Structure formats: C-alpha cells, structure tokens
Amino acid sequence: MLRKRLIVVLTLNDGVLFRTRNFVPDYRYTLNFVDTWLVDEVVALDITRPGQGDRTNFYDAVEQLASSCFVPLAVGGGVTSLEEVRRLMSAGADKVVVNSEAYRHPDFIGEIASSYGSQCAVVSIDAKDVEGNYRVFTDFGRNDTGMNPAEWACQCESLGAGEIIVSSIDRDGMLEGYDNKLNASVAAEIGIPLLVCGGAGAWKHFSDGFKKGGADAVCTTNIYHFTDSSIKAAKTFLARKNIPIRA
C-alpha cells in the first residue's frame, strides 16, 4: 500500500514568503526553516501578479530552497513555457506545477511529460462552487472556464500529467476543512495521485481529506502553526486513525 503524504505549500510574492489569506507578507519567516521539518514534500508557488515583481527573485528563492530542502520539491506559479520549466528544474525543482497555461494550451502538459517524465508534470486545478456546480477557474481565480474539475483532471491525466492538485477557492484560508465533495469527485475520475489543498486547520481535516476526499496527499498553506513537533503530532494522529502515513 502506498503511504499517504503530508505536503506544505509555500506561496511567494516577488521572492518573499507570504501568508495565503489576503496575501500579506510575513517577514518573520525565511525559506531556511523547512529543512528540518518532517513533511514529505514541499510545493513552492509564485503568486506574484504580472508586472508586480521580478521573476528573477522567485528563481533565486527556488535555488535557496532547493539547497536546503531534502524532500521532493514541486515548483510553479505563472509557468508558461518549456524554457521556464527548464530553468526551474535547473534551479533544483523535482516537479513543475502548471495551472492556467495548461488550460489555455493543453499540449503543454505533454511537452513537460515528454521532456522530463510524467512524474514531473503536475497540474493544479483551482475550483469553485458556482450555484451548486463546481467549475475550474484560472488566472488567479478570475476566469471562470465553465469546465468541471473532475472532467478537466481526467483530461490532464490523458495528456500526461503525473499528479493533480485540487484547490478549493471557497475554502482557501478558512481553516474549516477541505471541500471533500469536490475532492472525491475528482478522485473518482483519475488514476494518478490526487493532492488536495484549501481549508485545512486541524489534524482531523487531514484524515478527512484522505478518508472522505480520496486524497493521496494533503496540502496545507497555513504553515505558521507548524514546527517539527507539530508535524510529528499530525503524523501520529493520522497513524492512530489507521492512515498509512510516511514516518
């Protein structure tokens, strides 16, 4: 049985680590604190709006993170070309996360998979409940594509994606738990690992993400409550819930 993963998502604006809720900076933290954590993987996303920062700062942050991070590192945010993928991989990324560009140009997924393998092609899907129906949103949640997240995830898998990240726009930063109805609908349609994000605020939310949402990995962006001991506590909690988590 494949063991489940606990993943931390770091959001950076112009190279500075940001809180996700309201996207405000917190200069108390640097990228160095990750290296002793017991997390199974780190996802670093550039949330800099176009024209509001220097992309070079993000590449520098990725290099800094990769130099001290000894777990798999997935990197993304605004990736629009294979050249950017190459630069991120050269900077130390193990995987590249794509979102809006994958929707605009689906063949981009296959290009990444062909160049680096499907395990390196991760598609992030931002979804929102619109009048009782889940829809895929792109471009920082501004563009309603009208597409169903489960259908889009299935298409991404057929195009070469090795993993899918589903993020609930409605739950982001709320700390009230994942949208497991959304997550389960996607999990039922794909055969590749599903990572779920948006809403975790307690250890129980992690176990619900696995048991109710069908997740292979649970992600949290609320890093400000985490320490070595708290992540160990989270994994102990999950093990007691009979979830095969990585030690």
Side-chain angles (χ1 to χ4, degrees), residues 79 98-109 123 152 156:
V79 179
V98 293
N99 188 313
S100 299
E101 188 67 15
Y103 181 81
R104 285 191 288 266
H105 300 103
D107 289 345
F108 187 37
I109 301 169
V123 176
W152 174 227
C156 290

Side-chain angles (χ1 to χ4, degrees), residues 103 125 187 205:
Y103 181 81
I125 299 174
H205 298 155

Side-chain angles (χ1 to χ4, degrees), residues 77-98:
V79 179
T80 61
S81 69
L82 202 57
E83 179 56 37
E84 288 180 90
V85 173
R86 292 191 186 99
R87 187 167 179 182
L88 290 170
M89 296 294 282
S90 296
D94 298 293
K95 308 173 186 179
V96 172
V97 182
V98 293

Side-chain angles (χ1 to χ4, degrees), residues 143-158:
N143 178 42
D144 180 356
T145 68
M147 193 166 192
N148 177 271
E151 293 177 359
W152 174 227
C154 187
Q155 185 177 341
C156 290
E157 180 180 10
S158 69

